Amino acid sequence: MSTNAILRAAVLISAALCLSLATGATVFGQDVGVDVGAGVFKPKNPESKRTTKPVTTGTRPANRTGTAKPVTPNVAEKVEDLLDKGNEARDARKFADAEASYKEILKLKPRDARAAYGLGNVYSDQQRWEDAEAAYRNSVAWGPTNADAYVALSVVLVQPRPDGENAKRFADAESFARKSVQIDPKKAVGWDRLGVALQARAIDNSETEHSYRRAIELDPQFAAAYAHLARSLNRTNRAAEAGPMYTKAFELAKDPATLNLIADSLQGEQAWEQSEPVLKKALELDPQNPTSLLLMGRFLLAYRRYQEAEPYLKSATEVSSRAFLPFNLLGRAYLGMDRFSDAEATYGRASAFAGAGEKKQLAGVYGFEGVGDGYLKSNQKDKAVRAYQRALELDPNNSGAAQKLAKARAN
């Protein structure tokens, strides 16, 4: 994608695109939007304190009976070994193995801040925001001088969740970002995340702009800060200034995470078409990047290109097999294709990872209630009853599903 195209996308949104979104795409896509911060910011692994390679095999001197005993590393060595294993597994996207290694550390050494931070990273990679928040909160409680943990916690807290408590989390995100800056005022990412937290609270003022510009001053190659600054300038009606910032971000982008940020910002400004080539470039660099896959799926869902969205979202569920969002979006793709049994099964998998607010989503018209409607239209009354019942199990206050269930049973 040319830098001129990025500039045009940042400055102008065509009337035709706005019309199509207003009349079609956003009708379905309005419930699809999410700030996918996992791909925007990838926290680094906790650092191992190992200075020598661990002893994993060997024997002790023979005992009186002449039988050699296996070498058993002490607790400290085990912790460092498990930390290395967890980091390696995370880098290989073997999230279950990484999670198991970090949890094993906490069995050996409760309140280990590095293990908690590692767990937060694994959960964040999979968009398991509630789990990530809990792990990072433990990390900063047990290791209150780690600026990276405060930054990571701030990132997780700005991910909107459907439980009505976003305002409190956004305020906490700002607080933790400020703490990271206090601990390490020369860390550019801390300043950048302070700006993001302020914007999450709908604060686009001089402090927000200063935070991004300070990040750029500390690290002129920090592409994400340029993209964030561009978004802030756009939202304060300074599109002419925002355009060059998007251009600079694209020129500096060397990794999928930054490209994801640019694409997410463009989608946030309703420049959906311009986000597609950015995401294609990100996926060329990393075909299994979970955020790139989600953003591409979101783009295609917004334009009702359900069949094209399916492979991206299926891949996302394979990479993040314990996260709600990939399964939820894949279910919507199936619903859009009138593949109601696939949608029902996929929503069922999403429900295993759903929080309270997310269960209400799954119970609604873009969830089991919608599946029931589809079954009913195709004269599959028994399956419709089953879907409406599942909707009410997830949200007993769903009056629409209750009325439809009663009607389906009566007929």
Side-chain angles (χ1 to χ4, degrees):
M1 186 178 187
S2 70
T3 55
N4 287 336
I6 287 287
L7 180 58
R8 289 195 301 272
V11 177
L12 297 173
I13 303 170
S14 72
L17 177 59
C18 288
L19 178 61
S20 70
L21 290 169
T23 58
T26 54
V27 172
F28 188 84
Q30 63 185 350
D31 201 32
V32 178
V34 64
D35 185 5
V36 279
V40 171
F41 169 77
K42 183 177 175 63
K44 67 181 183 181
N45 289 326
E47 294 183 4
S48 170
K49 297 178 181 178
R50 183 181 306 289
T51 56
T52 59
K53 189 173 182 179
V55 177
T56 56
T57 60
T59 59
R60 295 184 186 279
N63 59 17
R64 292 180 181 179
T65 64
T67 303
K69 294 184 177 180
V71 170
T72 303
N74 61 33
V75 170
E77 289 174 334
K78 285 184 177 179
V79 166
E80 300 308 318
D81 187 28
L82 287 166
L83 195 65
D84 287 336
K85 288 173 64 177
N87 292 345
E88 290 171 5
R90 183 210 178 194
D91 290 341
R93 292 207 177 100
K94 297 179 180 178
F95 295 131
D97 292 344
E99 181 178 353
S101 293
Y102 295 134
K103 283 183 174 179
E104 188 64 27
I105 292 173
L106 293 175
K107 292 179 183 178
L108 294 170
K109 187 181 176 184
R111 300 176 65 84
D112 187 284
R114 292 178 301 159
Y117 175 61
L119 274 176
N121 292 347
V122 171
Y123 297 144
S124 180
D125 287 348
Q126 300 173 84
Q127 295 92 43
R128 295 167 58 183
W129 304 127
E130 291 183 8
D131 291 335
E133 178 185 346
Y136 285 140
R137 284 188 183 275
N138 284 337
S139 182
V140 299
W142 302 337
T145 60
N146 183 0
D148 290 330
Y150 286 103
V151 169
L153 179 53
S154 182
V155 171
V156 166
L157 289 169
V158 299
Q159 307 310 311
R161 299 179 223 160
D163 60 6
E165 297 182 4
N166 287 326
K168 172 64 166 61
R169 279 194 292 268
F170 293 166
D172 286 349
E174 179 188 344
S175 175
F176 288 122
R178 290 189 188 280
K179 183 66 175 179
S180 75
V181 168
Q182 291 172 3
I183 294 172
D184 189 351
K186 296 278 176 99
K187 185 181 287 290
V189 69
W191 287 100
D192 178 64
R193 298 315 303 188
L194 175 56
V196 171
L198 289 168
Q199 277 195 284
R201 303 187 66 197
I203 300 173
D204 274 296
N205 59 14
S206 59
E207 184 182 16
T208 308
E209 181 177 348
H210 167 74
S211 297
Y212 293 139
R213 292 196 183 277
R214 178 60 177 150
I216 292 169
E217 179 183 347
L218 289 168
D219 183 0
Q221 303 301 306
F222 191 3
Y226 288 98
H228 281 139
L229 177 58
R231 183 167 59 182
S232 178
L233 293 170
N234 245 334
R235 292 180 180 180
T236 52
N237 300 315
R238 295 160 66 185
E241 297 175 63
M245 295 297 105
Y246 273 124
T247 302
K248 186 66 173 179
F250 188 75
E251 290 174 348
L252 291 173
K254 307 294 184 186
D255 58 88
T258 305
L259 292 164
N260 288 337
L261 171 58
I262 296 170
D264 187 41
S265 295
L266 290 171
Q267 290 184 2
E269 301 300 327
Q270 304 297 303
W272 292 87
E273 287 182 323
Q274 289 83 355
S275 74
E276 183 180 18
V278 179
L279 290 169
K280 285 183 176 179
K281 181 178 178 181
L283 288 166
E284 286 175 3
L285 295 172
D286 183 0
Q288 294 301 304
N289 184 281
T291 302
S292 302
L293 293 166
L294 282 170
L295 285 172
M296 183 62 85
R298 181 171 74 172
F299 159 75
L300 294 166
L301 286 181
Y303 282 102
R304 302 178 184 270
R305 292 160 60 181
Y306 305 125
Q307 290 184 331
E308 294 176 66
E310 180 186 1
Y312 291 105
L313 295 173
K314 283 188 71 174
S315 294
T317 65
E318 292 164 1
V319 175
S320 301
S321 60
R322 292 176 53 82
F324 167 80
L325 184 58
F327 289 104
N328 187 39
L329 295 188
L330 179 58
R332 295 184 191 187
Y334 289 140
L335 192 61
M337 289 186 281
D338 294 339
R339 290 167 56 180
F340 304 120
S341 61
D342 287 334
E344 183 180 11
T346 305
Y347 285 139
R349 295 190 67 184
S351 68
F353 314 114
E358 291 163 339
K359 287 179 180 178
K360 289 186 177 181
Q361 282 188 16
L362 288 175
V365 293
Y366 293 125
F368 284 101
E369 183 182 348
V371 172
D373 294 344
Y375 279 141
L376 206 58
K377 289 178 181 177
S378 58
N379 296 316
Q380 301 180 74
K381 186 179 70 171
D382 291 343
K383 292 182 178 180
V385 167
R386 183 180 66 208
Y388 292 139
Q389 287 176 327
R390 184 68 177 119
L392 289 170
E393 289 172 5
L394 292 167
D395 181 12
N397 296 319
N398 185 336
S399 59
Q403 292 172 6
K404 292 172 182 177
L405 175 60
K407 185 176 180 180
R409 282 174 169 168
N411 296 330

